[in-house]
Amino acid sequence: FTDAGVTAMRNRLKSFIGTTAYDVCINTFHGFCVEILQRFPEKFIEMRSAETADDLQKIQILQEILQKEKYQWLAPFKNPNCFLQSILGKISTLKREDISPEDFTQVVTQEKEEFESIPQDDLINAKTGKIKGKYQTQKKRLEKWEEFIRVYEQYQSALQERGLLDFDDQILFVLKKLRED
């Protein structure tokens, strides 16, 4: 997963087979995908003009998205940038699991349907007339996820419009091509 891991693996291999370990190709996932992209450019024509987004570009894109509309959970009024790294981390995690915004929307829609099918007498505390604590937590999580989906979709669109890819997109493109060809 990391360059340090590559170095550790190479050193371990070197202890078994000696200096020929330097002839063995050892990469991170991202490094492997970049190598595939470079070795077979004809298979990735749609990516020829794309550039890799750096951290600053990703943060700027996300800031722009969060400023366009109001987000109750992801961009609190007093500190709208406090969750930038967390949001980017969650996007990256979903991409690493090959979960697109559309896939995540399906998951959230199913969760929401299940939540909405909870009988009222189970959902509402009879004494207080309010949603029970465990369901309040679930409702809040669904609201956050719905906001997150909008941000994730806009983030992907913004990357595409600007001709940018992030590292996770590179892996996904290579994975898609390996499945197809």
Side-chain angles (χ1 to χ4, degrees):
F1 292 105
T2 65
D3 291 332
V6 168
T7 302
M9 187 175 287
R10 184 168 314 284
N11 288 337
R12 187 164 181 211
L13 185 60
K14 190 172 102 180
S15 73
F16 292 121
I17 64 173
T19 58
T20 56
Y22 292 106
D23 297 332
V24 177
C25 182
I26 302 173
N27 285 314
T28 62
F29 290 115
H30 292 115
F32 170 75
C33 290
V34 167
E35 184 178 323
I36 295 291
L37 291 168
Q38 290 171 348
R39 285 182 64 194
F40 304 100
E42 70 280 1
K43 299 288 184 180
F44 301 95
I45 293 169
E46 67 272 17
M47 293 181 56
R48 278 196 184 153
S49 61
E51 294 180 26
T52 303
D54 62 29
D55 289 340
L56 181 60
Q57 289 171 310
K58 293 188 292 186
I59 288 171
Q60 288 172 335
I61 289 169
L62 197 52
Q63 284 176 324
E64 290 171 16
I65 292 167
L66 294 176
Q67 290 171 359
K68 281 183 192 174
E69 60 183 278
K70 184 179 176 189
Y71 292 94
Q72 177 182 358
W73 304 106
L74 300 182
F77 179 71
K78 291 185 179 183
N79 190 358
N81 296 322
C82 71
F83 295 122
L84 291 174
Q85 290 298 332
S86 176
I87 293 167
L88 286 172
K90 287 180 180 19
I91 289 172
S92 181
T93 298
L94 288 173
K95 287 183 177 187
R96 287 184 200 155
E97 296 295 326
D98 197 13
I99 300 173
S100 67
E102 296 79 19
D103 296 335
F104 195 60
T105 298
Q106 289 177 355
V107 170
V108 172
T109 300
Q110 183 178 349
E111 288 270 338
K112 190 172 180 182
E113 288 170 2
E114 289 173 11
F115 179 80
E116 290 170 350
S117 71
I118 298 170
Q120 287 294 319
D121 55 334
D122 286 342
L123 186 65
I124 306 295
N125 183 320
K127 293 179 183 178
T128 64
K130 297 181 180 179
I131 296 177
K132 294 178 183 176
K134 68 179 181 179
Y135 294 122
Q136 187 63 34
T137 302
Q138 186 177 358
K139 180 180 179 205
K140 182 179 171 182
R141 187 181 76 237
L142 288 168
E143 290 170 357
K144 284 181 187 179
W145 283 356
E146 287 177 325
E147 279 189 5
F148 177 78
I149 289 167
R150 291 194 332 256
V151 170
Y152 187 11
E153 289 171 336
Q154 291 177 50
Y155 175 79
Q156 283 303 105
S157 292
L159 285 176
Q160 190 173 27
E161 287 168 10
R162 296 172 191 199
L164 297 171
L165 298 169
D166 60 21
F167 286 120
D168 298 310
D169 289 327
Q170 291 174 343
I171 290 175
L172 291 174
F173 269 103
V174 171
L175 181 62
K176 180 181 175 189
K177 285 294 183 184
L178 289 172
R179 287 178 178 150
E180 294 172 357
D181 183 5

